[in-house]
């Protein structure tokens, strides 16, 4: 029988080709970047507005990275130490621990760099898109979509480079090291999602409520001090956050598939090796088809709707990927089950895309129903929108269950491990079009910023074009959020199977790279009638509610200060409403930045420490229940928040387009209220649940060997107590006012006294 680490000639060539495809993806991304930056940035006024957005976005991300640097160092040390107990006969604990710690740093770096590059080009592509819109729809679409494609290519390529190199170096020990890589990506994604989401929605809520409702001025009116912060937020929230989010989904799913494949290393090393290399080839195919898909996105003529070429690029990328999967499964793996699982993933991606589009696009009944309900006030608008989100979450869950059921049908003869491996392939198949998906998502903020720049820089000739592009962007952003949520759930389910593998290995005292056989794993399960499991299930199910409460209330606190600051400027700056004076936009940017940075620490600590507390007090059974609980409630809540928020947003746009009295009507005021409630739903709390689900599952995977050996001991009980105190302190500190907020509060008090 072959040794696991003995690659065939084809596999050696394939691994180098996989690495080469990732490099090609990075080169293509750099070429697109050069192309976009070579475009005309427009008038001096347009460049001035864009410069303010660039400056604010860069300042925020720099402060964010500095804030979390200390936690990253602490976790690097902790991960290195956890690796010491995972060593075996063939590799020392020090080598494995250091590899895991370094890969964690690389995962943080890759995730952060992916998000930064996406945001960095988006804030430069926006003004070039606005300028192109002065003369051509096709030119503006090309700039906006290709700006997003840079982030898309770095997302699919950066992770593939890291994962391939780690596998080539560590071989059967790669899963232990890749856990660190995936955790690094997940942690950075969580911080970027939470911080960026708080920033963008606090500014958006403040700009809308004071500007549209109270002052009666347009959305991106330059007199509104919150408009620059709103445009900055679109980039740090959507661009940076989504790129990091999808990056970590890809890594986590890959890690899960490798851990599950390793279960066959003892009885069938050749099968284990094939099942590990196949996902890497799938990802390489995704890089190539993403390049083709993004290149296809071009208008055939100026009359074609921009959504049509975007859909073409997505569909062609999926079709070409399916063809590639078939050939690899048939002629390398000699097992069409692998093709069917990845094909199911592509079908899941399309299904989730269309389902999210149905519940959030203004072309369909749910959004039109919300717009109609706005005629009777904000209450009926909110009730209808909330109902839409609740319904959408159920059908999204059913579609995911259908994909998992298909995996059971295809891999049923392989047992539980084979079925869960099939689920991981569904996730990888779903994420194959990541390059195009990220392009679609980042396109939205670029188009939105382009509209804002045209409004603030007074470029009326471009407004009809950018308004159309922005409307399409709302749909693509909502659809890609649905895909991100589904990918998070699939990744977490695959990780859940890996969790039992780690439990079995710890119970058997097996070292790294010496996985327990698939047959032995069937002895381990998580029975619901065990009180510890049920407690864990309830606590895990509660985590998305607590987490969402923290993020939504953070937006509310920040928005309170922003609203009062914008009101103050309208009152106190002479000539502001007349357009003869400029607002103090930097003050609002400072409030947003301070609030977001301060508020992101507590949710991050909750995500990392809560699984450790549960494991320390309830053992591996309770921790398993905890992880299952967060997957179920996290998916339902994330879709509900994103669907309802997206539907409220587009219902407002239906009215702004002239329905039910149009802008300035009572229905419009009600719809704006619904939109401002939906903003933190769809762009803060909902998307942030994706990395939360994966971070908690990865932490559970990392600590379970220690939990198996030491849960219930005095040391573990005390450790859990200390961690609970840390979480509580972080929650209290997060609610304290920052200096910028105190200053606003003082001004409000002075005004009331006067």
């Amino acid at each position: 029988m072959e040794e696991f680490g003995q690659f065939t000639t084809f596999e050696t060539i394939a691994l180098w080709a996989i690495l080469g495809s990732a490099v090609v993806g990075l080169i293509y991304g750099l070429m697109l970047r050069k192309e976009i930056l070579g475009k005309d940035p427009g008038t001096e006024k347009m460049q001035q507005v864009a410069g303010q957005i660039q400056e604010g976005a860069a300042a925020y991300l720099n402060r964010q990275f500095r804030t979390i640097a200390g936690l990253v160092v602490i976790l690097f040390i902790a991960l290195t130490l956890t690796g010491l107990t995972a060593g075996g006969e063939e590799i020392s604990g020090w080598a494995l621990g250091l590899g895991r710690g370094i890969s964690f740093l690389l995962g943080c770096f890759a995730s952060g760099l992916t998000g930064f590059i996406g945001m960095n080009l988006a804030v430069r592509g926006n003004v070039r898109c606005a300028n192109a819109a002065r003369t051509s729809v096709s030119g503006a679409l090309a700039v906006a979509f290709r700006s997003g494609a840079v982030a898309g290519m770095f997302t699919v390529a950066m992770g593939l480079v890291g994962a391939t190199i780690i596998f080539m170096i560590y071989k059967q020990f790669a899963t232990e090291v890749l856990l660190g890589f995936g955790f690094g990506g997940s942690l950075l994604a969580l911080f970027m999602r939470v911080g960026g989401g708080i920033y963008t929605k606090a500014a958006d809520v403040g700009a809308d409520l004071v500007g549209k409702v109270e002052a009666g001025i347009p959305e991106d009116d330059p007199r509104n001090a919150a408009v620059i912060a709103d445009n900055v937020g679109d980039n740090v929230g959507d661009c940076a956050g989504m790129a990091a989010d999808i990056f970590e989904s890809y890594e986590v799913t890959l890690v899960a598939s490798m851990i599950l494949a390793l279960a066959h290393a003892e009885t069938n090393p050749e099968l284990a090796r094939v099942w590990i290399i196949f996902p890497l080839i799938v990802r390489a195919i995704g890089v190539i088809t993403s390049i083709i898909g993004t290149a296809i996105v071009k208008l055939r003529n100026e009359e074609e709707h921009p959504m049509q070429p975007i859909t073409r690029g997505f569909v062609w990328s999926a079709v070409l990927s399916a063809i590639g999967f078939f050939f690899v499964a048939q002629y390398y793996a000699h097992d069409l089950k692998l093709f069917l699982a990845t094909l199911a993933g592509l079908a899941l991606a399309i299904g989730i895309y269309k389902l999210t589009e149905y519940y959030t696009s203004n072309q369909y009944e749910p959004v039109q129903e919300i717009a109609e309900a706005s005629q009777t006030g904000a209450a009926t608008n909110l009730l209808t929108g909330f109902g839409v989100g609740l319904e959408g979450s159920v059908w999204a869950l059913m579609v995911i269950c259908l994909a998992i059921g298909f995996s059971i049908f295809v891999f049923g003869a392989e047992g539980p491990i084979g079925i869960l491996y099939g689920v991981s392939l569904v996730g990888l198949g779903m994420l194959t079009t990541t390059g195009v998906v990220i392009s679609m998502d980042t396109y939205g903020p670029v188009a939105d910023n382009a509209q804002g720049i045209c409004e603030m820089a007074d470029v009326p000739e471009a407004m009809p074009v950018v308004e159309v592009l922005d409307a399409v962007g709302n749909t693509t952003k909502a659809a890609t959020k649905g895909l991100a949520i589904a990918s998070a759930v699939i990744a977490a389910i695959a990780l859940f199977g890996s969790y039992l593998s780690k439990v079995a290995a710890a119970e058997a005292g097996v070292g790294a790279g010496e996985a327990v056989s698939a047959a032995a794993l069937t002895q381990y399960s998580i029975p619901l009638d065990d009180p510890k499991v049920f407690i864990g299930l309830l606590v895990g199910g509660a985590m998305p509610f607590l987490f969402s409460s923290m993020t939504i209330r953070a937006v509310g606190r920040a928005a309170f200060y922003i609203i009062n600051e914008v009101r103050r400027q309208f009152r106190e700056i002479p000539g502001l409403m007349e357009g003869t004076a400029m607002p103090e936009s930097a003050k609002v940017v400072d409030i947003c930045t301070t609030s977001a940075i301060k508020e992101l620490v507590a949710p991050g600590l909750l995500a990392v420490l809560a699984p450790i507390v549960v494991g320390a007090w309830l053992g591996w059974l309770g921790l398993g229940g905890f992880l299952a609980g967060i997957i179920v409630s996290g998916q339902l809540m994330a879709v509900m928040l994103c669907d309802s928020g997206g539907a409220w947003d587009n219902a407002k746009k239906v009215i702004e387009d002239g329905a039910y009295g149009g802008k300035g009507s009572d229905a419009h005021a009600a719809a704006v209220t619904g939109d401002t409630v939906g903003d933190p739903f769809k762009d803060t709390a909902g998307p942030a649940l994706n990395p939360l689900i994966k971070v908690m599952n990865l932490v559970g995977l990392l600590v379970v060997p220690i939990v198996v050996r030491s849960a219930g001991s005095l040391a573990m009980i005390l450790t859990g107590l200390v961690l609970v105190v840390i979480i509580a302190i972080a929650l209290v500190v997060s609610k304290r006012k920052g200096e910028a907020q105190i200053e606003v509060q003082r001004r409000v008090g002075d005004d009331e006294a006067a």
Side-chain angles (χ1 to χ4, degrees):
M1 187 175 292
E2 292 182 85
E3 294 288 335
F4 173 86
Q6 189 65 42
F7 298 136
T8 65
T9 302
F10 173 80
E11 288 167 346
T12 301
I13 295 172
L15 286 171
W16 285 106
I18 291 166
L19 195 58
S21 71
V23 174
V24 168
L26 292 174
I27 292 172
Y28 179 66
L30 292 173
M31 289 171 59
L32 289 177
R33 182 178 185 276
K34 182 178 180 182
E35 176 188 336
I36 297 301
L37 294 180
K39 302 289 185 182
D40 185 357
T43 66
E44 183 178 345
K45 180 62 176 175
M46 292 169 69
Q47 293 180 53
Q48 179 186 350
V49 174
Q52 289 179 284
I53 297 171
Q54 292 168 25
E55 183 179 347
Y60 169 74
L61 274 192
N62 288 336
R63 284 185 63 177
Q64 183 184 59
F65 289 148
R66 289 199 304 270
T67 300
I68 63 179
L71 180 60
V72 169
V73 171
I74 293 171
L75 289 173
F76 162 73
I77 296 170
L79 281 170
T80 301
L81 294 176
T82 62
L84 300 183
T85 61
E89 294 181 3
E90 298 183 47
I91 187 168
S92 70
W94 276 109
L96 198 61
L98 191 59
R100 181 183 284 181
I102 292 173
S103 70
F104 166 73
L105 294 179
L106 291 175
C108 290
F109 173 77
S111 183
L113 180 64
T114 298
F116 180 80
I117 287 175
M119 181 216 73
N120 188 262
L121 192 63
V123 296
R124 285 164 171 76
N126 53 15
V127 68
R128 290 163 172 83
C129 172
N131 187 61
R134 299 166 71 186
T135 56
S136 167
V137 179
S138 60
L141 173 66
V143 172
F145 194 82
R146 292 190 168 209
S147 295
V150 176
M153 295 319 303
F154 270 80
T155 300
V156 296
M158 286 291 292
L160 187 55
V161 168
T164 305
I165 291 175
I166 289 171
F167 177 67
M168 291 172 75
I169 293 172
Y170 286 92
K171 296 179 181 161
Q172 69 263 43
F173 308 106
T175 55
E176 296 291 337
V177 177
L178 280 169
L179 279 175
F181 191 70
F183 182 47
S186 296
L187 188 70
L188 258 289
L190 178 69
F191 283 123
M192 295 178 84
R193 271 299 197 192
V194 171
I198 292 170
Y199 187 115
T200 181
K201 291 304 109 180
D204 198 358
V205 169
D208 280 357
L209 286 180
V210 183
K212 289 183 179 181
V213 177
E214 296 182 8
I217 59 179
E219 182 169 353
D220 291 304
D221 195 292
R223 293 170 290 180
N224 191 330
V227 166
I228 291 294
D230 184 14
N231 282 277
V232 171
D234 289 337
N235 295 285
V236 299
D238 279 328
C239 300
M242 175 62 87
D245 187 358
I246 294 292
F247 170 87
E248 51 122 2
S249 281
Y250 228 158
E251 298 317 306
V252 167
T253 310
L254 180 65
V255 170
S257 68
M258 287 184 165
I259 292 174
L260 292 165
L262 196 61
H264 295 283
E266 181 182 341
T267 57
N268 193 341
E270 182 180 1
L271 177 65
R273 196 178 64 249
V274 170
W275 276 21
I276 286 178
I277 293 177
F278 180 79
L280 291 171
I281 298 177
V282 164
R283 290 195 55 179
I285 291 171
V287 173
I288 303 304
T289 57
S290 290
I291 291 173
I292 297 171
T294 54
I296 286 173
V297 179
K298 295 177 182 177
L299 284 174
R300 290 172 175 166
N301 53 65
E302 289 291 305
E303 287 70 41
E304 186 179 26
H305 193 275
M307 195 67 208
Q308 293 179 336
I310 292 175
T311 302
R312 271 201 305 273
F314 178 75
V315 171
W316 271 108
S317 178
V319 169
L320 293 174
S321 296
I323 294 171
F325 298 162
F326 173 79
F327 280 102
V328 176
Q330 175 68 25
Y331 297 107
Y332 165 60
H334 307 294
D335 188 352
L336 285 180
K337 292 196 298 292
L338 307 187
F339 162 68
L340 292 174
T342 50
L343 184 65
L346 290 171
L348 176 61
I350 295 171
I352 290 291
Y353 180 92
K354 298 305 293 183
L355 192 63
T356 308
E357 183 182 17
Y358 172 74
Y359 281 105
T360 59
S361 172
N362 55 15
Q363 300 177 18
Y364 299 105
E365 183 180 351
V367 168
Q368 294 168 4
E369 183 184 356
I370 297 170
E372 183 180 3
S374 302
Q375 297 176 92
T376 50
T380 47
N381 170 283
L382 293 170
L383 289 170
T384 308
F386 199 71
V388 165
L390 291 170
E391 180 182 307
S393 66
V394 174
W395 292 115
L397 182 67
M398 293 302 177
V399 172
I400 293 172
C401 288
L402 188 63
I404 297 171
F406 184 78
S407 178
I408 295 172
F409 173 75
V410 173
F411 283 86
E414 302 288 343
I417 294 300
I419 291 170
L420 289 167
Y421 178 76
V423 171
S424 71
L425 290 186
V426 169
L428 286 167
M430 181 183 184
L431 291 168
T432 302
T433 56
T434 288
V436 180
V437 168
I438 295 296
S439 304
M440 293 164 60
D441 183 76
T442 305
Y443 156 85
V446 172
D448 191 357
N449 273 198
Q451 183 179 15
I453 289 170
C454 289
E455 180 78 37
M456 287 183 279
D458 192 22
V459 189
E461 66 272 21
M463 287 301 294
V465 173
V466 293
E467 285 174 354
V468 172
L469 296 181
D470 183 37
V472 171
N474 283 328
T475 300
T476 59
K477 284 191 295 183
T480 52
K481 285 184 176 70
L483 290 171
I485 294 166
S487 71
V489 173
I490 293 292
I493 292 170
L495 279 177
F496 195 69
S498 305
Y499 175 81
L500 290 178
S501 175
K502 289 291 181 185
V503 169
E507 290 276 19
V510 171
E514 305 170 18
V516 176
S517 67
L521 289 179
T522 58
Q523 302 173 24
Y524 295 91
S525 61
I526 300 177
L528 285 177
D529 59 353
D530 188 307
K532 289 183 178 179
V533 174
F534 213 81
I535 293 172
L537 191 68
L538 293 174
V539 174
M543 285 298 103
F545 289 84
L546 176 59
F547 187 84
S548 298
S549 168
M550 293 166 68
T551 53
I552 290 173
R553 292 172 71 184
V555 171
R557 284 192 291 269
F560 173 84
Y561 300 110
I562 291 166
I563 288 169
N564 281 304
E565 174 62 21
V566 176
R567 285 172 175 168
R568 180 196 70 79
Q569 293 193 26
F570 277 135
R571 287 194 311 268
E572 297 181 7
I573 298 179
L576 180 58
M577 283 301 295
E578 293 75 20
T580 58
M582 293 297 293
E584 297 171 343
S585 300
K587 291 188 176 180
V588 178
V589 170
D590 185 50
I591 294 171
C592 286
T593 302
T594 302
S595 299
I597 293 298
K598 181 172 64 70
E599 299 277 9
L600 66 81
V601 175
L605 288 175
L606 176 70
V608 174
L609 301 183
I612 303 175
V613 173
V614 173
W617 288 353
L618 298 177
W620 71 266
L621 284 171
L623 180 56
F626 174 88
L627 299 178
I630 191 175
I631 293 171
V632 175
S633 69
Q635 188 277 336
L636 289 169
M637 176 160 277
V639 176
M640 185 276 291
L641 293 170
C642 288
D643 278 7
S644 57
W648 275 317
D649 189 355
N650 277 328
K652 175 198 67 177
K653 292 187 182 299
V654 167
I655 295 174
E656 288 179 344
D657 288 339
Y660 309 117
K663 293 181 179 179
S665 65
D666 289 341
H668 183 233
V672 170
T673 300
D675 179 40
T676 53
V677 171
D679 276 339
F681 278 32
K682 69 182 174 66
D683 289 326
T684 307
L689 287 173
N690 306 338
L692 176 76
I693 293 170
K694 289 171 283 190
V695 165
M696 285 190 162
N697 273 271
L698 276 169
V699 171
L701 210 59
L702 286 164
V703 302
V704 73
I706 300 172
V707 168
V708 168
R709 290 190 294 269
S710 308
S713 66
L714 180 61
M716 291 293 278
I717 291 172
L718 292 176
T719 298
L721 186 61
V722 169
L723 296 183
V724 167
V725 171
I726 292 173
I727 293 172
I729 292 173
L731 288 170
V732 172
V733 170
S734 70
K735 297 178 183 179
R736 292 180 180 173
K737 299 180 180 68
E739 291 182 9
Q741 298 165 338
I742 292 172
E743 175 64 17
V744 172
Q745 191 90 30
R746 184 190 62 76
R747 289 172 180 167
V748 173
D750 291 346
D751 290 342
E752 290 175 350

